[in-house]
Amino acid sequence: MSRLKMPLFYSVAFVLFLLVFLPKTALYHAAEEQIKPFGLAVADETPVDRGFDFVLRGGSLYFEDLHVADLERITVTPWLLYNTVRIAPFAFSPDMEGFTPTGVDGFSVTYSVLDPLHIRLEGSGAFGSVTGQVALMERKVTMDLIPSAALRAKHPFWLKQLRSIEGGAYRYETTY
């Protein structure tokens, strides 16, 4: 039994040191370069490496030259077996008000090695709640939206483009 304690201790210590000393800021800047060809950019943000997680404070999200949202905080938790990106409360820009109610309470993207072929998506806000998944092998994105009364009252044109499913929800599916 004692033969197992030391290798297990060293393995756990190695993983913890790896997580703490991972160059998260450099990885963030590399990821920024990877999303530029898609027209996405985050500006005026402050990156903070907090050891076990990485936080972007403030900032604005742009798609090409369109100001999409003002971000309060993005938290990236890079555990090796369970990784999460949480976008804390943010507000859509005035340019986007015609598409959706402005407030978003939060949105999270989760990847786990227990289900390595899927990425889970969850969010909620003034628009209602959304859940979904990205199937990596099928290259398919599926999102289910349960719209709020505020969103239904706005009658956005894009809501009619989604497929209605049971329970008053709407489904969006696409492949990439």
Side-chain angles (χ1 to χ4, degrees):
M1 185 68 175
S2 66
R3 285 183 168 185
L4 291 175
K5 286 182 185 178
M6 288 309 278
L8 183 63
F9 172 76
Y10 285 129
S11 298
V12 169
F14 174 76
V15 168
L16 291 176
F17 282 125
L18 180 67
L19 290 173
V20 169
F21 294 113
L22 190 69
K24 295 175 212 56
T25 304
L27 290 172
Y28 166 69
H29 291 300
E32 253 187 336
E33 292 299 318
Q34 293 294 315
I35 65 171
K36 274 186 183 177
F38 299 105
L40 293 173
V42 179
D44 302 326
E45 75 278 16
T46 305
V48 178
D49 185 351
R50 299 190 319 181
F52 287 109
D53 62 4
F54 177 75
V55 177
L56 289 175
R57 297 185 193 275
S60 298
L61 177 65
Y62 290 91
F63 177 70
E64 295 176 0
D65 288 334
L66 178 65
H67 181 218
V68 176
D70 292 315
L71 307 171
E72 184 177 317
R73 182 182 58 226
I74 298 174
T75 305
V76 180
T77 309
W79 295 101
L80 297 177
L81 303 176
Y82 184 83
N83 304 305
T84 305
V85 176
R86 288 187 187 93
I87 304 172
F90 66 94
F92 287 108
S93 70
D95 298 336
M96 301 299 292
E97 285 181 2
F99 297 105
T100 183
T102 58
V104 176
D105 298 333
F107 193 80
S108 69
V109 179
T110 306
Y111 176 78
S112 171
V113 295
L114 298 176
D115 188 11
L117 301 178
H118 296 96
I119 297 173
R120 195 175 68 218
L121 311 167
E122 295 177 354
S124 64
F127 61 87
S129 66
V130 64
T131 58
Q133 73 174 6
V134 178
L136 299 173
M137 289 297 287
E138 294 89 25
R139 299 178 56 98
K140 182 178 178 183
V141 178
T142 304
M143 297 184 79
D144 293 338
L145 168 70
I146 300 173
S148 67
L151 182 64
R152 287 183 191 270
K154 283 188 114 166
H155 300 293
F157 69 91
W158 55 265
L159 194 58
K160 295 174 186 138
Q161 303 299 321
L162 303 179
R163 186 169 48 108
S164 181
I165 57 175
E166 68 268 352
Y170 293 89
R171 177 165 287 166
Y172 173 75
E173 292 181 316
T174 188
T175 56
Y176 60 95

